[in-house]
Amino acid sequence: MSGTTFAGALNTGLRRALADDEKVVLLGEDIGRLGGVFRVTDRLQREFGPYRVIDTPLAESGILGTAVGMAWRGLRPVVEIQFDGFVQPAFDQIVNQVAKMHARTGGRVRMPLTVRIPVAGGIGAAEHHSESPEAYFVHTAGLRVVSVSNPQDACTMLRQAIACDDPVIFFEPKRLYHVKGEVELEDLATAAPMSAARVVRPGDDVSVVTWGSHVATALDAAEALADDGVSVEVVDLRSLSPWDVEAVTASVRRTGRLVVVHEGARQGGVGAEICATVTETCFADLAAPPLRVTGHDVPYPPAKLERHQLPDLDRVCHGVDQVLGRAPLDPRAVAVSAATHQGQGSPAGAAPSGATSDGTAADAEDDGVTHRAVAVHDGQEVAA
């Protein structure tokens, strides 16, 4: 396949940012002479010199602390954290300095700082090299958090992040570095905003919301389910904080069903926030409880076992089958469903028309898919 790799697109975005603004500087471990462990900064030190593409000691907290000082003095530093698990030593600087500086100074000091983090698993790496720490940063006010899924977004959104006056945590899924696609240097004034979600496949029956490398997984699942007569809408969230509530709720209001897919842990994950918000704002439109397909709540396993940790096509399809009532609901969702039914009304899918309250699928009404959906709100049937 022709085109530019994901890593090459990031390199193109960095080169353009360095050329456009002399205040842009890059810092990181082995990003200069080596060009980074994933070669994202390849040849940039040769082109822009060692004072703008800076090799640092192996000290993440020191790298971020230096970047904070640079940003305070008007530069636009771009930090590379070599692997996701290495960002924890810099957590204090990011959470207590980077995120709070603007508010702490009454708006007088901005932090136009970008932190690039190769993230997540799927490449058979060693311990501390396959983490999904997005929930830590989404929970921190004062940060923007984005995750890209394709080479074009890698190039454009990285330039947008660098141009932004707010600090941005920029997640790069490692397993995408060699994926190729067509890339052009978009005009940032007319490009889609960094915070906007994108519908990458329209559909009518179920909304699947995801980001990063799992956009491709969701698209594969949607294609497989189409052969079974199920129409899945895939939404690439792109920005995790702030996230595009309007786009997601608009999709769910049309389909009535939501599955959120991510690789991070289920407990306290970004999917929980999305499901809660959708439930609060689209309750009467839901035909089934929102459902999460996530990594398991365990430390990331050794490489030989990671295929059991990562959401794959089968798990996404199973999630869609559950919200359609074609498979028993997860017992945890059933417990919530039962509790809700005893209270003030619920989405019909809390006990979806195709499933009984104990989670056992009822007889299918039509080709294995139960279509009847009645929501009760304030004691009234409001949708069918």
Side-chain angles (χ1 to χ4, degrees):
M1 177 181 178
S2 62
T4 304
T5 64
F6 189 91
L10 292 165
N11 182 279
T12 299
L14 289 170
R15 178 178 287 104
R16 183 58 180 263
L18 285 161
D20 285 348
D21 188 348
E22 64 181 10
K23 294 179 180 177
V24 175
V25 293
L26 314 186
L27 302 87
E29 300 159 357
D30 295 324
I31 69 166
R33 292 184 61 183
L34 180 65
V37 293
F38 296 106
R39 302 298 185 270
V40 170
T41 54
D42 191 33
R43 299 175 183 270
L44 296 181
Q45 189 183 66
R46 189 181 307 174
E47 295 179 40
F48 295 95
Y51 294 104
R52 296 191 67 197
V53 182
I54 304 168
D55 278 320
T56 67
L58 307 183
E60 287 78 9
S61 183
I63 297 170
L64 260 296
T66 302
V68 169
M70 289 178 163
W72 184 294
R73 301 299 296 176
L75 299 178
R76 291 187 177 274
V78 182
V79 168
E80 177 181 300
I81 299 296
Q82 203 167 68
F83 283 93
D84 35 42
F86 301 173
V87 76
Q88 269 71 281
F91 198 68
D92 176 44
Q93 292 286 352
I94 296 174
V95 172
N96 288 324
Q97 307 300 336
V98 174
K100 292 181 169 64
M101 195 66 73
H102 185 61
R104 181 186 298 154
T105 59
R108 293 189 295 276
V109 175
R110 306 303 299 253
M111 281 284 117
L113 192 159
T114 302
V115 183
R116 296 179 38 240
I117 306 177
V119 71
I123 63 169
E127 188 180 20
H128 307 311
H129 290 64
S130 301
E131 307 296 325
S132 295
E134 61 265 31
Y136 297 146
F137 301 107
V138 168
H139 186 70
T140 303
L143 299 175
R144 291 179 180 266
V145 182
V146 302
S147 182
V148 286
S149 66
N150 60 77
Q152 182 63 67
D153 274 356
C155 179
T156 301
M157 290 176 65
L158 181 54
R159 292 172 58 211
Q160 290 173 322
I162 295 170
C164 180
D165 286 336
D166 298 326
V168 180
I169 305 296
F170 191 92
F171 286 123
E172 305 165 4
K174 291 189 289 288
R175 71 164 97 174
L176 299 182
Y177 276 134
H178 299 293
V179 170
K180 290 186 175 181
E182 298 301 324
V183 175
E184 61 176 291
L185 283 168
E186 294 183 289
D187 182 350
L188 296 188
T190 59
M194 185 170 61
S195 59
R198 178 181 296 138
V199 175
V200 292
R201 178 184 175 115
D204 301 319
D205 298 327
V206 180
S207 300
V208 174
V209 175
T210 187
W211 53 89
S213 63
H214 290 289
V215 172
T217 308
L219 288 171
D220 289 343
E223 190 66 29
L225 288 159
D227 293 339
D228 204 20
V230 178
S231 176
V232 173
E233 179 153 298
V234 178
V235 179
D236 180 359
L237 199 59
R238 300 171 80 236
S239 176
L240 311 186
S241 182
W243 63 279
D244 194 339
V245 176
E246 184 176 349
V248 171
T249 54
S251 176
V252 173
R253 284 194 171 101
R254 285 190 296 98
T255 65
R257 299 173 176 87
L258 170 66
V259 175
V260 183
V261 180
H262 64 70
E263 190 171 323
R266 174 190 177 95
Q267 180 170 307
V270 177
E273 173 64 25
I274 296 171
C275 289
T277 302
V278 165
T279 302
E280 289 168 352
T281 57
C282 304
F283 191 76
D285 300 296
L286 289 170
L291 187 140
R292 290 165 286 167
V293 178
T294 70
H296 303 297
D297 292 334
V298 297
Y300 198 85
K304 288 183 179 179
L305 297 176
E306 71 175 351
R307 64 187 176 85
H308 300 290
Q309 173 75 2
L310 304 175
D312 59 11
L313 183 148
D314 287 341
R315 288 180 61 193
V316 175
C317 289
H318 183 62
V320 170
D321 283 343
Q322 287 183 81
V323 298
L324 285 170
R326 307 199 311 177
L329 279 171
D330 182 296
R332 285 168 292 192
V334 172
V336 173
S337 162
T340 309
H341 264 290
Q342 292 168 6
Q344 64 274 24
S346 70
S353 331
T356 65
S357 60
D358 65 357
T360 304
D363 292 340
E365 295 181 4
D366 182 8
D367 295 333
V369 181
T370 302
H371 295 294
R372 188 176 71 84
V374 179
V376 178
H377 186 64
D378 291 335
Q380 302 294 321
E381 283 191 7
V382 295

